[in-house]
Amino acid sequence: MVKLVLVNPQIPPNTGNIARTCAATGTELHLVGPLGFELGDRYLKRAGLDYWPYVDLHYHNSCEEFITHWRGQGGNLLGFSVTGTVNFWDYTYQSTDWLMMGSETDGLPQMMRDLSTQLLCIPMPHSEVRSLNLASSAAIALFEAGRQLRSLG
Ligand SMILES: C[S@@+](CC[C@H](N)C(=O)[O-])C[C@H]1O[C@@H](n2cnc3c(N)ncnc32)[C@H](O)[C@@H]1O
C-alpha cells in the first residue's frame, strides 16, 4: 500500500481524522514537523478516537529528516497541490508511492514541490473554492490509489 505524508500539519482534528483513515486502510502515516500542535493534543486524540494504537505512525522532525528517510526507502514522491499539473485520476499509482500533502495554511513548501516526482491535483470545477480540506484531500487520494492497486479489499 502507498504511504501518506503530511508536511507541517497545523490543525489537530484534520490529522486525527487522517490517522483514523490510515488505521482503517493499513496505511503508514508520516508526519513531518514542525507541527502546529503537540502529538498529545486532546483534539488530535479525539479525532483519531481509540484508533491511534492501530496507526503505523512515523514522525520526522523536519523536511530534511524526512527526505533522508524517503531516499533510503525509495519510491515516487507525489505532491498533492491545487496547482498540480496532472489530474490524480490519470496517474498510475505504484504501491511504493508516497502521497504527500501540504499544510492547511501554506500548502507544500517549495523544496518539497521541487522534489516531487509529480504534482497531482484533485479537480475543483467550481473555481470559487480555493482548496479542499486537508483530511478530505488525503482520503480522496488514498482511496483512488487503493482502488487502482486493489489494495483495499
Ligand atoms: C487546505 S490545503 C492548502 C491550501 C494552501 N493555502 C495552498 O495554497 O496550497 C491543504 C493541502 O490539501 C491538499 N489539497 C487541497 N486541495 C487540493 C486539490 N484540489 N488538489 C490537490 N491537493 C489538494 C494539498 O496537499 C494542500 O497542501
Side-chain angles (χ1 to χ4, degrees):
M1 182 55 181
V2 298
K3 301 172 192 67
L4 187 68
V5 185
L6 305 182
V7 180
N8 309 141
Q10 301 296 307
I11 300 175
N14 280 340
T15 296
N17 188 337
I18 290 168
R20 183 174 175 175
T21 302
C22 286
T25 56
T27 305
E28 275 185 29
L29 175 59
H30 292 254
L31 300 182
V32 181
L35 312 179
F37 49 83
E38 300 291 327
L39 282 176
D41 185 287
R42 69 190 173 104
Y43 294 106
L44 176 74
K45 290 198 164 163
R46 185 183 294 169
L49 296 180
D50 51 346
Y51 303 120
W52 278 104
Y54 307 106
V55 182
D56 190 355
L57 181 65
H58 301 251
Y59 179 72
H60 310 272
N61 284 304
S62 63
C63 286
E64 289 77 8
E65 204 175 288
F66 168 73
I67 291 164
T68 302
H69 178 82
W70 161 61
R71 287 200 165 124
Q73 302 269 309
N76 291 325
L77 190 58
L78 307 176
F80 277 76
S81 168
V82 290
T83 59
T85 48
V86 174
N87 186 314
F88 84 116
W89 283 318
D90 295 332
Y91 184 81
T92 302
Y93 297 88
Q94 298 176 34
S95 59
T96 50
D97 287 345
W98 302 70
L99 312 187
M100 178 173 64
M101 307 283 154
S103 86
E104 294 90 338
T105 46
D106 298 329
L108 280 174
Q110 191 60 45
M111 175 172 63
M112 302 309 275
R113 294 174 66 89
D114 292 344
L115 275 174
S116 297
T117 316
Q118 195 74 253
L119 282 175
L120 304 180
C121 68
I122 303 167
M124 295 186 296
H126 291 273
S127 57
E128 297 82 6
V129 175
R130 288 187 300 278
S131 67
L132 297 170
N133 168 272
L134 172 61
S136 302
S137 303
I140 290 168
L142 263 183
F143 277 83
E144 172 59 14
R147 185 192 69 80
Q148 285 192 21
L149 292 165
R150 302 286 186 269
S151 59
L152 296 177

